[in-house]
C-alpha cells in the first residue's frame, strides 16, 4: 500500500516558468512533510519541509503548500532553472519517513 | 549543513560473500540512523532503523539475518549484507537524524551519498 503517491513520474518545464510537483498521501497520522531532490547515484538532499500545523512554507524559490483536508501537498519552484533538473521525492512522517515514488523534473532552456 | 558519508560508494562482489557498508555522521551526533534501499525507478524503501547502542528495528519483509545492522557509536552505523546474491544488487542509502534539531517535533534526516552494490 503506497501511503505517499506522486502520480506524475515526470514533468518538463521551460526555464523561468513555474514548476509544480504534486504529492498525495493517505495516512492522516502524518504530521510532517518534506521534499527532497535527488541526482542520479547520489543520496537525496533536503529541500524544504512543512509541519501539519501550517499550510504554506517558503524558502527562496521553493514553496510548499499543504492541504490537509485533501491530503495533498505541492512544491512550487519559481522561477525554474536548468539546475533544478532532478528527481524530486516527497516524504511524510509519523514515526518514520515514507517516500513517494518521485517525479523527474526536466527544466529546458 | 550536516554531512553524512558512506563507504564504499561502489562495490562489486561475488555471490556468497559478505559486504559491509559504513555510514558516518561527520559533524553531528546521530542518535538514529536509517537504512534505505532504492530499486530502479522506485521509491526509497526503509529497511531498518537503528538507534545507538540498541538493536535495529527492521521493516516488514526485511531479513534480519541477511542485513545485519550495527550502530556502535553516535557517528557510525554499519550495514552488512551477508551471503550476498544477485538479487541484493541495489543502491543502499543511509540517513542520520540529528537528535538535537527538532522541527515539527520530528527533525530532518540527512542522507549519505549512497552505495551501489553489484553482486555477480
Amino acid at each position: 500500500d503506497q501511503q505517499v503517491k506522486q502520480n506524475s513520474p515526470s514533468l518538463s518545464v521551460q526555464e523561468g516558468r513555474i514548476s509544480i510537483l504534486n504529492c498525495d498521501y493517505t495516512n492522516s497520522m502524518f504530521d510532517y512533510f518534506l521534499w527532497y531532490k535527488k541526482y542520479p547515484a547520489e543520496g537525496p538532499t533536503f529541500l524544504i519541509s512543512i509541519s501539519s500545523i501550517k499550510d504554506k512554507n517558503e524558502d527562496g524559490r521553493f514553496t510548499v503548500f499543504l492541504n490537509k483536508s485533501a491530503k495533498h501537498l505541492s512544491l512550487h519552484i519559481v522561477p525554474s532553472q536548468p539546475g533544478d533538473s532532478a528527481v524530486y521525492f516527497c516524504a511524510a512522517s509519523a514515526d518514520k519517513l515514507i517516500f513517494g515514488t518521485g517525479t523527474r523534473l526536466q527544466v529546458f532552456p | 549543513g550536516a554531512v553524512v558519508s558512506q563507504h564504499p560508494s561502489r562495490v562489486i562482489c561475488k555471490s556468497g560473500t559478505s559486504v559491509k557498508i559504513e555510514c558516518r555522521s561527520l559533524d553531528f551526533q546521530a542518535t538514529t540512523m536509517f537504512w534505505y534501499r532504492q530499486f530502479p525507478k522506485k521509491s526509497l524503501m526503509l529497511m531498518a532503523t537503528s538507534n545507538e547502542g540498541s538493536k535495529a528495528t527492521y521493516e516488514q519483509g526485511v531479513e534480519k539475518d541477511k542485513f545485519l545492522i550495527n550502530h556502535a557509536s553516535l557517528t557510525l552505523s554499519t550495514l552488512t549484507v551477508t551471503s550476498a546474491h544477485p538479487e541484493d544488487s541495489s543502491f543502499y542509502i543511509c540517513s542520520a537524524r540529528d537528535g538535537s534539531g527538532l522541527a515539527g517535533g520530528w527533525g530532518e534526516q540527512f542522507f549519505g551519498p549512497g552505495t551501489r552494490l553489484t553482486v555477480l
Side-chain angles (χ1 to χ4, degrees):
Chain A
D1 178 32
Q2 189 71 30
Q3 297 184 63
V4 180
K5 298 179 184 179
Q6 292 175 257
N7 292 318
S8 298
S10 64
L11 175 67
S12 189
V13 173
Q14 189 173 30
E15 181 178 6
R17 302 277 186 144
I18 184 172
S19 294
I20 300 176
L21 297 101
N22 294 303
C23 181
D24 297 292
Y25 62 95
T26 57
N27 190 341
S28 57
M29 297 300 291
F30 290 142
D31 59 1
Y32 197 59
F33 304 87
L34 308 93
W35 283 94
Y36 289 86
K37 178 179 179 180
K38 185 181 182 300
Y39 295 110
E42 292 184 10
T45 303
F46 170 74
L47 267 180
I48 192 168
S49 62
I50 188 166
S51 164
S52 60
I53 63 174
K54 296 185 176 181
D55 54 19
K56 178 182 175 181
N57 188 26
E58 190 172 354
D59 184 2
R61 296 186 298 114
F62 302 93
T63 303
V64 56
F65 295 92
L66 175 63
N67 182 334
K68 288 194 293 294
S69 61
K71 294 190 175 67
H72 176 84
L73 67 154
S74 60
L75 174 68
H76 292 210
I77 306 173
V78 181
S80 301
Q81 299 173 354
D84 296 329
S85 298
V87 177
Y88 289 78
F89 288 96
C90 69
S93 79
D95 59 340
K96 60 188 178 187
L97 272 185
I98 307 294
F99 283 85
T101 50
T103 297
R104 180 176 301 280
L105 173 65
Q106 180 71 39
V107 181
F108 59 93
Chain B
V3 179
V4 175
S5 70
Q6 269 184 254
H7 178 80
S9 59
R10 182 172 295 191
V11 57
I12 301 172
C13 69
K14 291 183 179 179
S15 185
T17 60
S18 294
V19 175
K20 179 185 281 188
I21 303 170
E22 292 186 349
C23 176
R24 293 181 186 273
S25 57
L26 298 185
D27 50 3
F28 67 99
Q29 292 187 328
T31 53
T32 306
M33 286 184 168
F34 305 85
W35 286 95
Y36 293 86
R37 181 174 177 177
Q38 185 177 25
F39 296 95
K41 298 183 180 179
K42 297 224 171 170
S43 182
L44 291 158
M45 303 299 295
L46 179 65
M47 297 175 66
T49 302
S50 74
N51 293 295
E52 185 264 339
S54 62
K55 288 184 179 180
T57 302
Y58 289 81
E59 295 301 303
Q60 191 173 13
V62 178
E63 299 176 59
K64 301 179 183 181
D65 295 332
K66 180 160 189 66
F67 299 100
L68 301 178
I69 291 172
N70 184 280
H71 192 161
S73 76
L74 286 171
T75 59
L76 173 65
S77 176
T78 60
L79 167 68
T80 301
V81 183
T82 62
S83 187
H85 287 95
E87 57 266 30
D88 299 325
S89 299
S90 192
F91 193 57
Y92 293 88
I93 304 176
C94 74
S95 71
R97 189 165 79 191
D98 180 353
S100 66
L102 295 177
W106 201 83
E108 295 145 5
Q109 292 184 26
F110 302 97
F111 286 82
T115 297
R116 170 73 59 191
L117 170 63
T118 302
V119 185
L120 303 176

